[in-house]
Amino acid sequence: MDRMRQNFIFGYGSLICPLSRAVTAPSLANCLAEPCEVEGIERTWSARVHRAKRDKDSHIRGWTPMGVRGRKGAFSNGVLICVDEEELKRFDVREGGYRRSKIKLSNIYPHFEASETEEGSGATTSGVVAKEIDRPSEVHHKLDHVKCPKCRQLFEAADRMRRRASSDDTEVNEADSGPGDELAVWCYFQEQSIPADRSFPITQSYIDIILRGCLSISKNFARRFLETTTGWWNEGEAQTVGDFVRRQQMGDTKATDDDDENISLSISDHHTWVDDRLNPMYARADGAFSRGKGAEIDELLKEHHPRALARRVSSMEVPKK
């Protein structure tokens, strides 16, 4: 057993939202969560949740929440949530279908707003640039904005590990890095990685909760979330359809007229994102917030994912079987 270990969770989806976290762990209702960025993790719409009660007349079998995967060079923003063992167990229950894995401290960076970075530093819209915040001579004073003392300790430990790796030009052994021994950052990785489709679409009520959390930090933080999230649209069945039609044209004997009719229906019905604000599918949705802030959120979505947003369909208009 780890002696005096401090646990953190990297929240990259609905856990960014304070109210959503407090539903699972009421003890966190008034606790700070520190904005951060993690290198080597790509956020994408790729998990699966099955509906407890399915409408027999609907093809929707569930929905697609957020997932992450390891990818070199990728960055994802989110929050560090300081938790005790009991709170960690509660989140393990909440995140059924995900596995909890430890992530490297040296891959964790503090979040900076653009106004907190130097002019001409090459910062992105969120003000987060790994090279800039990795400068040993500058990191310490740049942590003045960090509100959570334990998170500040984590950022300092992460910086020491990066400096050591840079000076030695070798991979740092994080198991022998002093204060870092007592810090563990956990991330929930989905068990299955499957893109959204018409049977398991992305739901707007879930997006609204995530962006509610992002906007509670800043609009730039919300933009950064949208910039670093993939999987908003995929061709799905329509891509399969195209392959089928090409095979049929080449004389594939397995391509039948009945299949061709089903293919046509599939093309017209294909979607990967539903607007369910009027009838939320997400259990922790907040209808009042979605109705009040929906237009503002849609403007943000239009800035970053206009093509996918244009193909979003209303859950009230989703074609039946």
Side-chain angles (χ1 to χ4, degrees):
M1 179 179 292
D2 296 297
R3 184 172 63 89
M4 300 296 290
R5 183 179 68 185
Q6 176 58 62
N7 291 303
F8 298 82
I9 294 172
F10 172 55
Y12 57 82
S14 60
L15 293 185
I16 297 174
C17 179
L19 293 177
S20 183
R21 296 194 298 269
V23 170
T24 300
S27 53
L28 295 176
N30 298 313
C31 295
L32 294 171
E34 194 65 43
C36 69
E37 288 242 347
V38 175
E39 184 177 8
I41 287 182
E42 181 179 55
R43 177 171 41 220
T44 182
W45 296 102
S46 58
R48 281 284 162 95
V49 171
H50 290 260
R51 299 182 77 168
K53 294 183 180 180
R54 181 182 170 190
D55 181 352
K56 64 180 181 179
D57 294 324
S58 173
H59 64 266
I60 294 181
R61 298 164 52 198
W63 57 285
T64 298
M66 195 62 69
V68 289
R69 59 193 174 199
R71 188 172 76 81
K72 187 177 181 180
F75 276 87
S76 291
N77 65 335
V79 295
L80 286 174
I81 309 161
C82 188
V83 295
D84 59 27
E85 291 292 340
E86 179 57 33
E87 290 162 344
L88 192 60
K89 290 176 183 177
R90 286 175 174 266
F91 284 107
D92 285 347
V93 173
R94 168 176 170 150
E95 303 298 334
Y98 292 74
R99 71 182 187 279
R100 175 163 55 87
S101 298
K102 196 181 295 187
I103 56 179
K104 293 173 62 176
L105 294 189
S106 57
N107 283 351
I108 302 171
Y109 298 85
H111 168 79
F112 291 98
E113 287 296 314
S115 61
E116 295 168 349
T117 59
E118 296 177 7
E119 186 176 354
S121 64
T124 64
T125 55
S126 69
V128 180
V129 174
K131 286 185 179 179
E132 181 188 5
I133 62 178
D134 198 22
R135 295 173 187 164
S137 62
E138 298 181 1
V139 167
H140 190 78
H141 78 78
K142 286 197 171 185
L143 296 179
D144 291 345
H145 70 291
V146 175
K147 298 176 181 178
C148 168
K150 292 179 179 178
C151 296
R152 183 187 180 101
Q153 179 186 6
L154 186 150
F155 290 140
E156 290 172 343
D159 178 58
R160 284 193 295 270
M161 291 174 183
R162 289 191 293 269
R163 280 187 289 166
R164 179 177 171 184
S166 176
S167 61
D168 293 346
D169 197 30
T170 58
E171 186 70 19
V172 69
N173 181 2
E174 297 197 6
D176 185 28
S177 300
D181 296 356
E182 302 167 3
L183 305 170
V185 181
W186 303 96
C187 182
Y188 289 97
F189 293 81
Q190 72 277 18
E191 294 288 356
Q192 290 182 300
S193 185
I194 308 173
D197 60 28
R198 67 193 295 270
S199 296
F200 292 87
I202 301 164
T203 59
Q204 188 61 52
S205 60
Y206 178 66
I207 296 172
D208 288 351
I209 290 297
I210 298 174
L211 288 178
R212 180 179 191 170
C214 292
L215 289 169
S216 72
I217 297 169
S218 72
K219 185 168 276 191
N220 276 337
F221 190 87
R223 289 191 173 104
R224 182 63 171 170
F225 169 85
L226 295 172
E227 290 170 359
T228 57
T229 302
T230 64
W232 296 86
W233 171 262
N234 74 83
E235 297 300 334
E237 294 170 351
Q239 184 64 45
T240 304
V241 169
D243 293 340
F244 179 89
V245 171
R246 283 190 289 274
R247 286 190 292 107
Q248 187 184 49
Q249 292 172 342
M250 294 176 65
D252 190 330
T253 57
K254 294 182 180 180
T256 68
D257 291 339
D258 288 342
D259 288 334
D260 200 29
E261 181 178 354
N262 291 333
I263 291 298
S264 297
L265 290 173
S266 179
I267 291 175
S268 63
D269 293 348
H270 180 62
H271 58 268
T272 61
W273 182 356
V274 297
D275 182 354
D276 63 332
R277 284 171 174 152
L278 295 179
N279 186 25
M281 294 172 60
Y282 180 50
R284 288 177 284 273
D286 186 334
F289 173 82
S290 291
R291 290 188 295 272
K293 293 289 187 178
E296 178 183 349
I297 287 174
D298 283 355
E299 282 300 312
L300 275 174
L301 292 167
K302 188 176 180 179
E303 282 182 29
H304 297 275
H305 302 287
R307 179 171 176 263
L309 182 64
R311 299 185 180 193
R312 183 184 68 184
V313 300
S314 168
S315 61
M316 309 301 287
E317 300 173 359
V318 170
K320 300 294 183 181
K321 280 184 175 181

